[in-house]
């Protein structure tokens, strides 16, 4: 950690850089949004630390909203990963509740896909995309926001700048998606208020 670029982890180096940049460019007249629309959110320690700084006041991200949309254990072919990921996400939400500096902090919301109801005639739903929005820019690639992609896998990605219509259209589509209770459920409060000791 801290030597991502020098270690050949160019995708993570990019992500960490642009997360900081989104906070820097945001203000009351120009609020920014970060979207992780990713099959797995099992954040490696470098990203957990940075997002922690986005909410604890070490970085001024008061005009940034972070939105996560990912699989639930019921919609993925690797549910053990999503179950384990809930622990790290819960740790992040606990940190958010305990250490959030309201005058400087980004806001955070977490959504999961729902499995289609039996008998609905709809196909199984499992997210495999790896799309992110960093303010006005987008990233599309093969890297999940998980420990494995950071530590083990080799991935590729396309970082898209100066495409406001594409970003705006995608954000509008995501907004409509999370409004559909048949497809998406907001798990922010659930994870923040649930204990996983059993």
């Amino acid at each position: 950690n801290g030597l991502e670029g020098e270690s050949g982890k160019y995708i993570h180096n990019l992500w960490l850089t642009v997360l900081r940049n989104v906070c820097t460019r945001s203000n009351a007249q120009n609020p920014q949004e970060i979207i992780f629309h990713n099959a797995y959110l099992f954040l490696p320690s470098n990203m957990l630390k940075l997002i922690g700084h986005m909410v604890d006041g070490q970085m001024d991200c008061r005009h940034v909203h972070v939105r996560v949309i990912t699989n639930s254990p019921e919609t993925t072919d690797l549910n053990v990963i999503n179950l384990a990921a809930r622990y790290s996400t819960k740790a992040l939400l606990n940190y958010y509740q305990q250490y959030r500096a309201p005058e400087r902090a980004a806001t955070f919301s977490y959504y999961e896909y729902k499995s289609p109801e039996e008998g609905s005639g709809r196909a199984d739903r499992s997210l495999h995309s790896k799309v992110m929005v960093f303010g006005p820019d987008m990233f599309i690639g093969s890297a999940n926001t998980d420990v494995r992609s950071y530590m083990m896998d080799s991935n590729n990605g396309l970082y898209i700048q100066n495409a406001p219509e594409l970003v705006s259209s995608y954000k509008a589509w995501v907004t409509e998606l999370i409004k559909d209770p048949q497809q998406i459920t907001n798990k922010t409060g659930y994870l923040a208020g649930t204990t996983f000791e059993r």
Side-chain angles (χ1 to χ4, degrees), residues 27-198:
N27 56 54
Q29 292 74 40
N30 187 32
Q32 300 290 313
E33 185 170 27
I34 295 165
I35 299 173
F36 294 104
H37 194 184
N38 220 269
Y40 308 105
L41 185 86
F42 193 175
L43 294 173
S45 58
N46 59 349
M47 292 190 73
L48 268 175
K49 181 178 181 181
L50 181 62
I51 293 175
H53 290 338
M54 291 172 67
V55 301
D56 68 10
Q58 293 193 47
M59 295 169 58
D60 189 350
C61 302
R62 71 188 79 184
H63 301 294
V64 175
H65 182 68
V66 180
R67 200 184 310 196
V68 173
I69 306 105
T70 189
N71 278 312
S72 65
E74 295 78 30
T75 60
T76 179
D77 53 351
L78 288 172
N79 56 10
V80 66
I81 301 297
N82 287 74
L83 284 170
R86 280 186 170 182
Y87 284 83
S88 66
T89 305
K90 176 164 177 54
L92 177 61
L93 289 170
N94 287 352
Y95 189 84
Y96 180 87
Q97 289 180 313
Q98 189 169 356
Y99 296 105
R100 182 172 185 265
E103 69 283 357
R104 291 174 63 85
T107 54
F108 187 90
S109 54
Y110 175 83
Y111 303 86
E112 288 182 352
Y113 276 85
K114 295 175 70 174
S115 183
E117 294 181 18
E118 274 195 48
S120 67
R122 302 180 72 171
D124 289 342
R125 182 181 297 126
S126 183
L127 176 69
H128 285 280
S129 67
K130 289 88 172 158
V131 182
M132 301 176 190
V133 172
F134 297 103
D137 304 330
M138 276 181 88
F139 175 89
I140 304 171
S142 65
N144 287 300
T145 46
D146 67 355
V147 175
R148 180 179 172 129
S149 283
Y150 180 47
M151 299 299 294
M152 297 173 59
D153 294 346
S154 58
N155 291 285
N156 55 40
L158 180 67
Y159 189 63
I160 303 170
Q161 297 178 290
N162 301 315
E165 291 182 12
L166 173 64
V167 174
S168 177
S169 176
Y170 186 77
K171 287 169 62 175
W173 178 78
V174 166
T175 298
E176 289 304 309
L177 178 69
I178 65 175
K179 287 180 181 177
D180 183 352
Q182 300 301 312
Q183 294 195 68
I184 299 287
T185 183
N186 187 332
K187 290 283 189 176
T188 314
Y190 167 77
L191 286 182
T194 300
T195 59
F196 290 153
E197 295 168 355
R198 289 181 275 147

